[in-house]
Structure formats: C-alpha cells, structure tokens
Amino acid sequence: MGVIQNILAVIVVLGVLITIHEYGHFWVARRCGIKVLRFSIGFGKPLWSWTDRHGTEYGLAAIPLGGYVKMLDEREGPVDPSERHLAFNTKSVWKRIAVVCAGPLANFLLAIVAYWALFVAGTTSVVPMIGGVAADSPAGLAGLSPKAEIVAINGQPTRSWDEINLRLIGAIGDDHLNITTRADGASATREQALKVNHFLVDQDPPRPLATLGITAWRPQLPAVLGQVLDEGAAKAAGFNAGDRIVSIDGVLVVDWIDFVERVRGAPGKTLSVLIARGGREQTLSLTPASHSLEDGRTIGQVGAGVENISWPAEYQRELSYGPLAAVGQAIGKTGEMTVLTLDSIRKMLVGLIAPSNLSGPITIARIAGDTARSGLEAFLSFMAYLSISLGVLNLLPIPVLDGGHLLFYLVEAVRGKPLSERVQNAGLKIGMALVGSLMLMAIYFDLMRLW
C-alpha cells in the first residue's frame, strides 16, 4: 500500500510541476506570436491527445519524467513561407529569451502561490526548545542549556525546528555558528558562539542537531502503542493498539523514547516484553526486524507507533498572515529557499556536500508519499521546495537545459549574431552527457539508499 501511495503522490507532484513549467513556455510563446505545434506532458508514445483550433496538439505521454513544448522552427524542419513569421527562430533574441525563462519563472511562481496558501491557512509548529545538551559537544562547550528556546542562528530568526534545520544545513562547511537562545519564561536573549570544524562536511546524511549535541524538548510520551502495522514484528508478536509497555527483559520502561531506543538497539534479538492490557499484565516475545540506515548502521524496528498526545499550548506556535501580508512572506520564503538551493549546489561543486546527497525519482517518490501521508501542509511545502529546485536547476548554464539556451541567447545579444551551429551542437552534446551522468548518479544513490 505504501508503494502505491508513493507512486500516486509522485505522479501528482511531478505532473503539477512539469505542467506548470511547460505552460510557462507555452503561454509566453503564444504571447510572442510563436506557433506552438505540441504541448506534451511526458515523453514517448502519447496515451491521449487532442488538437485545438490553433493547430496545437496537446498530449499525455507514457513516461511522466518530463515534458516539452514543440514550436514552429526552421531549424527543425521545413516551414511554409506564409508561416515563417510564426517560427521561433525568426523572433528577436529578447523574445526567445523570454520564452526560455518563462518555464523556470513559472516554477518560482508556483512556489510563491503554495507558500502563500500555507501562510494564509496558517501553520502550526512546535516551539524549538532545547531538551538536552551533550556535555562535550559544541553546544555544551559553548554553554547552551536545556529548556531554552533557539530564537536565531547566525542572526536569522528561527520560529520552528524546520527553520532551524534549514539554517544549519545552510551553514555546512562553516567553522563557527552563533546561536541566540532565550530561557523558558524569560524575555532576555543570549547569543553564544559555537566552534564547529567544517560543520557537517562529509556527513551523509547530515545530522545537524546531533552534531551540535542538541536534542529537542518534547513532552514525556507514555509507552503506549497508538498503532500497530499489519506487516510489522509487533503485530506478529500479538501486540495491539492501546497496549502499555511495562518492562523489557525485566527492566522497567520509563517512556516511549526509552522503548524506542531499546528496540532500535536489539535488531534480530528476541525480547521479553511485559505489557498491560485491559487492566491485566501479560508477557509477549518480540523480535525487532533488522533495518539498515543510510549511514550503514543496523537498527531494530517493530512496526508500531506511539499513542498521540497533545502538546502543551505554550509549546505550540501558530503562524498565519492576512492575504496581503502573506504575499511578502511567500516571496521571501521562495527567495530564501532559492538561495539555499544555489548555495547547496555551490558547496557540492567544491566538495563540502557529498554527491551521495543527490536525489533521483525513487527518493522523490518516497518523500512525496511520506509528506502526502503527513497531511496537506507537508505535501504543499514539499511541492513548493521541489518546484524551486526544478526552477533553479533548469536555469543552470548547461546546454539542453533552459539555462544553456539562455546562455546562448545572451551571447547572441552581446555579439549581435548567434553562435555557430557547430559550437551550439558541441555544447548540446556536452550538456546531454553531463545531465545524463547526473541522472545516472542520482538513480545510483537512490538504489544504494534502498539497500
């Protein structure tokens, strides 16, 4: 069931992003007086198509990993003299630049709309309160203490753990971090400098909070099962939702975190678990299944989740804006995520971020499914971020991408004439090889994560 949900979620996400991207090219091409021959979502043999009164064919193809807008162009085939003025190649260089830029800009606009909807609807987050600090960690040595809220990192405000993680990911490779905190119930803030040597470099995947020695505060969770998956070890052992975990191998279980840590530390080992059910106690034998993490560690999993409890109101934070104020917030958020994406690309090129962090269609499908199961807010946030990534990547100056065509046209605008066909063809071959290699690398790392 999870695989089917992942597939459906990624089809929805990629379908929307690709359609918006290609519609950007299509809309501007029409406004520039260019005849559009085909608007296709996907590659390969069309599964469905129809033609409008302008002679444009709209198609849905079998391979949903991209799309294209085919325009009338003398470089791609004979053009009737009566329609030559409608051909892409006969338009001014500035109109061609507008058409090329329209696709990525449409992706940025989609992200702004998605963030705007989230800000207007309002989002609920947990106050980023420190729960624990390891003594010999960067946070411990700098003097950070539990029950203090992290209000800023390097001068940038942090209203949630999501924002903290984004700030920390953006600091990859840094040697110092400035973290501003406010003690619980206090009004004064305190800024502390943390020494971090090449922060998060060579970590795959990055573990920013663990590297700093910080754990998030959370209310104590009783060790009570809220759900038991049909295919999990807990179900096979006879556990039911509502069971309270009393002890494991004769040692009392303090709370849910204690239960999880002991399960994770016992892959493949049979545990004697005392539970309370319906006012009576009984003992069950539980053997956690072995699960390999991306960092090579093996942990135990039993396929059970904790019973939901309500967070104290004082540790919840709702962020919402009016329709007009949300516009500025959405544009700012899109700009922030764009800068983060560009900075991540730069750091990958200089070796601060491992290439194994590249994600392909398998990882995108898994994350799309996870966010869809988490709710509309998480799903929209993921779609917005992926739309920004698509826009940024397409603007990279690599031939075959929109950014490569943009580079050719900018050179033409400066020179007053286009680059020779030989140079453009050579660039396209290099671009195809580079993009193809990146796609293969991403798929390879996707498969490695599955193993």
Side-chain angles (χ1 to χ4, degrees):
M1 188 65 180
V3 174
I4 295 175
Q5 287 179 322
N6 290 354
I7 292 173
L8 292 176
V10 78
I11 288 175
V12 171
V13 169
L14 293 183
V16 171
L17 299 189
I18 292 167
T19 300
I20 293 296
H21 180 94
E22 300 303 336
Y23 185 76
H25 292 308
F26 170 84
W27 189 85
V28 174
R30 281 273 182 92
R31 297 307 177 277
C32 290
I34 300 169
K35 182 175 182 178
V36 179
L37 302 178
R38 185 179 299 116
F39 181 104
S40 177
I41 302 302
F43 300 109
K45 184 178 179 180
L47 302 174
W48 169 87
S49 66
W50 68 281
T51 303
D52 68 7
R53 60 187 178 87
H54 300 289
T56 301
E57 178 189 359
Y58 300 83
L60 184 64
I63 305 174
L65 295 178
Y68 64 93
V69 174
K70 181 177 175 61
M71 291 168 263
L72 190 68
D73 195 317
E74 291 178 316
R75 298 168 300 178
E76 297 182 5
V79 174
D80 189 287
S82 63
E83 292 189 323
R84 187 175 182 276
H85 66 289
L86 300 175
F88 177 80
N89 66 293
T90 63
K91 299 299 180 180
S92 70
V93 67
W94 298 110
K95 286 186 176 181
R96 283 178 277 145
I97 286 175
V99 172
V100 165
C101 290
L105 291 179
N107 284 123
F108 293 125
L109 181 60
L110 174 62
I112 292 172
V113 171
Y115 284 133
W116 176 86
L118 288 172
F119 286 133
V120 169
T123 60
T124 301
S125 61
V126 175
V127 173
M129 187 75 66
I130 298 174
V133 178
D136 295 329
S137 66
L141 295 173
L144 269 69
S145 57
K147 298 293 283 184
E149 178 188 350
I150 300 175
V151 297
I153 294 178
N154 291 337
Q156 296 180 295
T158 53
R159 298 166 295 182
S160 66
W161 285 112
D162 283 343
E163 290 188 353
I164 285 174
N165 280 313
L166 286 175
R167 304 283 186 264
L168 293 177
I169 291 296
I172 289 177
D174 291 356
D175 293 323
H176 295 86
L177 285 174
N178 292 317
I179 295 184
T180 305
T181 60
R182 180 173 54 233
D184 191 18
S187 58
T189 61
R190 179 185 179 193
E191 184 176 84
Q192 289 147 295
L194 280 66
K195 293 182 179 180
V196 286
N197 186 26
H198 292 85
F199 186 55
L200 301 180
V201 173
D202 296 329
Q203 284 194 20
D204 180 23
R207 300 181 297 278
L209 287 177
T211 301
L212 295 178
I214 294 173
T215 55
W217 182 89
R218 63 187 68 196
Q220 188 173 37
L221 297 172
V224 178
L225 303 185
Q227 59 176 335
V228 179
L229 302 181
D230 290 337
E231 64 273 19
K235 186 69 173 180
F239 287 81
N240 295 330
D243 289 348
R244 180 172 63 85
I245 311 300
V246 178
S247 67
I248 296 178
D249 292 338
V251 181
L252 289 178
V253 172
V254 178
D255 57 15
W256 178 259
I257 301 303
D258 184 26
F259 173 63
V260 169
E261 289 177 350
R262 289 159 74 173
V263 165
R264 286 168 63 95
K269 179 184 176 182
T270 300
L271 305 173
S272 178
V273 183
L274 180 65
I275 66 168
R277 177 189 297 170
R280 301 180 60 184
E281 293 186 345
Q282 66 181 96
T283 300
L284 299 175
S285 294
L286 175 64
T287 304
S290 297
H291 176 73
S292 297
L293 300 178
E294 294 178 8
D295 59 9
R297 293 180 296 147
T298 300
I299 63 171
Q301 286 188 343
V302 297
V306 67
E307 184 176 61
N308 289 329
I309 66 169
S310 298
W311 279 69
E314 62 268 26
Y315 292 109
Q316 296 185 56
R317 176 172 289 154
E318 178 144 357
L319 302 175
S320 62
Y321 300 89
L324 290 179
V327 173
Q329 292 293 325
I331 292 173
K333 179 70 171 180
T334 301
E336 179 184 356
M337 299 304 292
T338 300
V339 171
L340 177 63
T341 303
L342 287 169
D343 193 46
S344 297
I345 293 172
R346 178 188 67 82
K347 290 179 177 179
M348 189 171 290
L349 290 175
V350 299
L352 294 177
I353 297 179
S356 53
N357 285 285
L358 285 171
S359 297
I362 298 174
T363 298
I364 292 172
R366 178 178 58 79
I367 298 175
D370 290 344
T371 55
R373 285 185 285 272
S374 297
L376 183 60
E377 179 182 326
F379 189 64
L380 275 180
S381 294
F382 172 67
M383 183 181 290
Y385 176 66
L386 198 59
S387 189
I388 291 169
S389 299
L390 181 62
V392 170
L393 291 175
N394 267 282
L395 284 175
L396 294 179
I398 301 174
V400 312
L401 298 180
D402 292 330
H405 294 298
L406 176 62
L407 177 62
F408 287 160
Y409 298 147
L410 288 175
V411 171
E412 177 182 343
V414 173
R415 296 176 74 228
K417 61 180 181 179
L419 293 169
S420 67
E421 288 291 326
R422 181 179 63 83
V423 171
Q424 292 192 48
N425 288 335
L428 290 174
K429 290 178 180 178
I430 294 172
M432 289 179 65
L434 183 58
V435 171
S437 298
L438 288 174
M439 290 182 64
L440 288 175
M441 284 178 61
I443 292 173
Y444 168 76
F445 290 126
D446 273 0
L447 295 174
M448 292 299 293
R449 292 185 187 103
L450 293 178
W451 293 337

